[in-house]
């Protein structure tokens, strides 16, 4: 019984130590309002970087389709292992990139990998890029984020009204 308590105490101490040693993510870019069709980031890391956790923030003012493409630029003595991208919607008010809602994620390497995250509503979002630099000269990665607006229902209503008016005028010409 006594050993069980000691083991639980040791496990709790290890968990607390590992939580304290986990560094907060580094904000590498704030793109502001993501109204350009594409946002781009290239990051070069030194060989001593080790594990990294990078954040790129952006805002959407309207509904948009969001597509992301990421690639590690592994060549020669540059190498990143275990690279992953995760898109988050900032839903918490803590401001420290925790307790938010995951939209989706994918792993990537020296082959370009992308994902269509679908239609996202207005709000605050961020990409979290993680990985480990293994190259003797470091490593680098590239991130591209593409948006395309989603038409509002009023746009479809105007399209249908316009088609109806054209149909009415064509029918009227035939009758005359």
């Amino acid at each position: 019984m006594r050993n069980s308590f000691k083991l639980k105490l040791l496990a709790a101490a290890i968990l607390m130590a590992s939580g304290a040693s986990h560094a907060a993510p580094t904000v590498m870019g704030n793109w502001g309002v993501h109204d350009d069709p594409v946002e781009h980031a290239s990051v070069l890391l030194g060989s001593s970087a080790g594990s990294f956790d990078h954040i790129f923030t952006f805002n959407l003012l309207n509904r948009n389709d969001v597509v992301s493409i990421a690639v590690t630029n592994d060549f020669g003595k540059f190498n990143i292992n275990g690279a992953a991208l995760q898109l988050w919607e900032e839903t918490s008010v803590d401001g420290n990139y925790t307790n938010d809602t995951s939209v989706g994620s994918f792993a990537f390497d020296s082959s370009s990998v992308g994902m269509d995250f679908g239609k996202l509503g207005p709000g605050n979002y961020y990409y979290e890029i993680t990985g480990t630099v293994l190259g003797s000269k470091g490593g680098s990665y590239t991130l591209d984020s593409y948006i395309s607006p989603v038409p509002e229902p009023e746009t479809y209503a105007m399209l249908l009204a316009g088609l109806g008016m054209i149909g009415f005028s064509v029918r009227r010409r035939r009758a005359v």
Side-chain angles (χ1 to χ4, degrees):
M1 186 66 112
R2 194 157 199 199
N3 285 339
S4 173
F5 178 72
K6 286 181 182 179
L7 284 175
K8 288 178 184 176
L9 189 60
L10 178 64
I14 290 171
L15 280 172
M16 288 175 57
S18 68
S21 68
H22 178 71
T26 304
V27 177
M28 299 297 289
N30 181 348
W31 293 335
V33 176
H34 193 336
D35 55 359
D36 289 333
V38 64
E39 294 288 352
H40 173 81
S42 290
V43 177
L44 178 63
L45 301 162
S47 60
S48 63
S51 294
F52 61 89
D53 188 352
H54 293 163
I55 301 289
F56 295 88
T57 64
F58 64 94
N59 313 82
L60 294 177
L61 298 179
N62 301 303
R63 282 183 63 81
N64 288 282
D65 278 323
V66 176
V67 175
S68 305
I69 297 175
V71 63
T72 61
N73 304 312
D74 297 342
F75 49 91
K77 298 181 180 190
F78 283 86
N79 186 20
I80 293 179
N81 190 37
L85 176 146
Q86 187 155 6
L87 177 59
W88 297 89
E89 181 177 10
E90 196 171 355
T91 53
S92 66
V93 293
D94 58 15
N96 62 2
Y97 307 107
T98 59
N99 304 317
D100 295 316
T101 303
S102 175
V103 177
S105 65
F106 61 88
F108 64 96
D109 56 15
S110 59
S111 300
S112 182
V113 178
M115 182 173 188
D116 182 350
F117 290 103
K119 296 170 180 50
L120 302 179
N124 299 324
Y125 296 88
Y126 61 92
Y127 290 111
E128 182 174 23
I129 310 288
T130 56
T132 304
V133 176
L134 297 179
S136 61
K137 296 290 184 182
S140 69
Y141 66 85
T142 301
L143 165 65
D144 290 316
S145 179
Y146 300 91
I147 64 165
S148 61
V150 176
E152 297 291 327
E154 295 84 10
T155 305
Y156 290 117
M158 286 191 300
L159 174 68
L160 290 174
L163 288 173
M165 291 169 66
I166 290 171
F168 177 74
S169 65
V170 168
R171 184 174 174 177
R172 190 168 171 220
R173 274 192 199 160
R174 285 188 190 159
V176 172

